[in-house]
Amino acid sequence: MIDLHAHTTASDGSLTPTELVQLAVETGLSTLGITDHDTIGGLAEGEEAACAAGLRFVPGVELSVDYKPGQFHLLGYFIDYRARPFLDRLTYLQNNRANRNELMIEKMKAAGLPITMEDLIEAAGGGQVGRPHMALAMVRKGIVGSVQEAFDRYLADGKPCHIPKVKLGPEDAIDLVHLAGGAAILAHPKYLRQPDEEKLSAELERLRDCGLDGIEVYYSQHTPEETETYLRLARRLDFAIGAGSDFHGASKPHVVLGRVYQGTGGDDALVAAIAASASRRSGSAPPPAARTPAAG
Ligand code: AMP
Ligand code: FE
Ligand code: FE
Ligand code: ZN
């Protein structure tokens, strides 16, 4: 069993990387990918814990991409998370996030909500602050009854305290993953909100031309029909296939680590295909014939 999509306290998950690795071992996973939002802050600890536990570890990241009408998240797998140019560009995103947090605190203040940066830092437990921590801080202060209520009333896109995040364009995000020698995999294609298969296919083909290496076919929130559709598209477009739950721990209690899809027995082949894409990107093997421009 594999799970290539999980969050830690480095972003908006509730378990530390070490705790997540322990849970992965207890769950019986053979491979775990850590994919925090816009940060590699959990990877060194996760890798060390996984190594000690004999668990195969996939260093990853999940980048937010500018896209309409739906939500585009890009997973980077087998990234060299110590590569300097990659880290510099991540820092740029993180600085933008920090500015946005300040501005959102201002908006909360204007709405009469007494939330401070200290509250957010405490809610984030030392990791990167995001909207889920603002929601948690509101719950803790008794301003709202639940995280969901905080989003519905204040924090969701377009609500009074929301400020959009600076996001990379699809090409820049794909390039960023490749800059770290990683494989670029579209997360949870259902959230692109493109239900028309032909249109989605055309969109994915365009993204493949920008360097997209694969799509997360197997995802905890995909219906069997969606899974079938994405599998068909992945095969048609010669994409690597991702498989992940999007585990966040207590902040998304309905998502269970390792509960990704009904196992097909092809888990190791999926990881190998993603690893092969990454090694092509990191230059340790020639690019695939399919992506070589036609002669003449
Ligand atoms: P941020 O990266 O700070 O914009 O926070 C994004 C996270 O907030 C997502 O990963 C979700 O976990 C959560 N989120 C965003 N919109 C909603 C919503 N409408 N309801 C509940 N959670 C949301
Ligand atoms: Fe999240
Ligand atoms: Fe996501
Ligand atoms: Zn995620």
Side-chain angles (χ1 to χ4, degrees), residues 10-35:
S11 65
D12 56 349
S14 65
L15 301 186
T16 66
T18 302
E19 289 166 345
L20 179 65
V21 165
Q22 279 162 2
L23 179 62
V25 170
E26 285 160 20
T27 305
L29 294 190
S30 57
T31 308
L32 170 71
I34 290 184
T35 54

Side-chain angles (χ1 to χ4, degrees), residues 7 12 37-38 64 71 73 97 100-101 129-132 134 147-148 151-152 155-157 162-163 165 248 252:
H7 296 261
D12 56 349
H37 299 284
D38 304 323
S64 300
Q71 202 185 47
H73 286 175
R97 231 183 214 287
R100 174 207 194 208
N101 291 339
V129 171
R131 277 187 287 169
M134 299 177 191
V147 163
Q148 193 55 54
F151 272 95
D152 294 343
L155 298 171
D157 296 22
H162 177 251
I163 290 189
K165 197 164 51 181
H248 281 68
K252 282 188 188 168

Side-chain angles (χ1 to χ4, degrees), residues 126-188:
Q128 170 175 263
V129 171
R131 277 187 287 169
H133 308 110
M134 299 177 191
L136 185 59
M138 287 186 198
V139 173
R140 286 181 178 170
K141 292 226 157 161
I143 295 168
V144 290
S146 69
V147 163
Q148 193 55 54
E149 188 189 340
F151 272 95
D152 294 343
R153 286 177 63 186
Y154 301 112
L155 298 171
D157 296 22
K159 295 293 173 183
C161 302
H162 177 251
I163 290 189
K165 197 164 51 181
V166 171
K167 294 175 185 170
L168 299 171
E171 274 196 82
D172 287 342
I174 291 168
D175 287 350
L176 181 52
V177 170
H178 291 163
L179 195 61
I185 309 285
L186 169 70
H188 38 62

Side-chain angles (χ1 to χ4, degrees), residues 1 4 7 14 24 37 55 79 84 87 95 99 141 154 171-172 198 216 242 263-264 279-280 284 294-295:
M1 201 180 2
L4 303 181
H7 296 261
S14 65
H37 299 284
L55 178 72
I79 52 172
R84 199 68 250 172
L87 290 177
N95 289 342
N99 289 339
K141 292 226 157 161
Y154 301 112
E171 274 196 82
D172 287 342
E198 285 315 309
E216 192 177 43
T264 62
S279 50
R280 283 196 290 270
S284 49

Side-chain angles (χ1 to χ4, degrees), residues 6-231:
H7 296 261
T8 75
T9 47
S11 65
D12 56 349
S14 65
L15 301 186
T16 66
T18 302
E19 289 166 345
L20 179 65
V21 165
Q22 279 162 2
L23 179 62
V25 170
E26 285 160 20
T27 305
L29 294 190
S30 57
T31 308
L32 170 71
I34 290 184
T35 54
D36 280 304
H37 299 284
D38 304 323
T39 177
I40 52 94
L43 296 182
E45 181 186 326
E47 184 151 49
E48 194 180 322
C51 183
L55 178 72
R56 181 165 175 189
F57 182 73
V58 180
V61 68
E62 184 174 22
L63 303 171
S64 300
V65 178
D66 201 16
Y67 186 83
K68 277 186 174 48
Q71 202 185 47
F72 186 147
H73 286 175
L74 184 72
L75 295 161
Y77 284 129
F78 292 104
I79 52 172
D80 173 1
Y81 59 91
R82 295 181 176 92
R84 199 68 250 172
F86 167 73
L87 290 177
D88 288 344
R89 286 174 70 181
L90 265 195
T91 305
Y92 165 79
L93 292 177
Q94 288 159 2
N95 289 342
N96 275 305
R97 231 183 214 287
N99 289 339
R100 174 207 194 208
N101 291 339
E102 298 282 358
L103 293 172
M104 286 183 74
I105 286 176
E106 289 304 317
K107 285 213 159 195
M108 289 186 254
K109 217 175 267 167
L113 313 180
I115 301 289
T116 64
M117 186 52 84
E118 286 67 42
D119 298 330
L120 300 187
I121 291 169
E122 192 185 323
Q128 170 175 263
V129 171
R131 277 187 287 169
H133 308 110
M134 299 177 191
L136 185 59
M138 287 186 198
V139 173
R140 286 181 178 170
K141 292 226 157 161
I143 295 168
V144 290
S146 69
V147 163
Q148 193 55 54
E149 188 189 340
F151 272 95
D152 294 343
R153 286 177 63 186
Y154 301 112
L155 298 171
D157 296 22
K159 295 293 173 183
C161 302
H162 177 251
I163 290 189
K165 197 164 51 181
V166 171
K167 294 175 185 170
L168 299 171
E171 274 196 82
D172 287 342
I174 291 168
D175 287 350
L176 181 52
V177 170
H178 291 163
L179 195 61
I185 309 285
L186 169 70
H188 38 62
K190 78 179 289 173
Y191 297 139
L192 284 184
R193 288 205 259 129
Q194 180 48 270
D196 182 279
E197 185 171 337
E198 285 315 309
K199 284 186 186 155
L200 179 60
S201 181
E203 181 69 12
L204 291 175
E205 201 169 328
R206 201 181 62 75
L207 290 167
R208 188 188 59 183
D209 292 340
C210 296
L212 188 71
D213 297 300
I215 62 175
E216 192 177 43
V217 168
Y218 300 109
Y219 181 69
S220 59
Q221 310 303 308
H222 284 164
T223 64
E225 293 74 27
E226 286 168 337
T227 306
E228 275 306 308
T229 301
Y230 303 140
L231 187 58

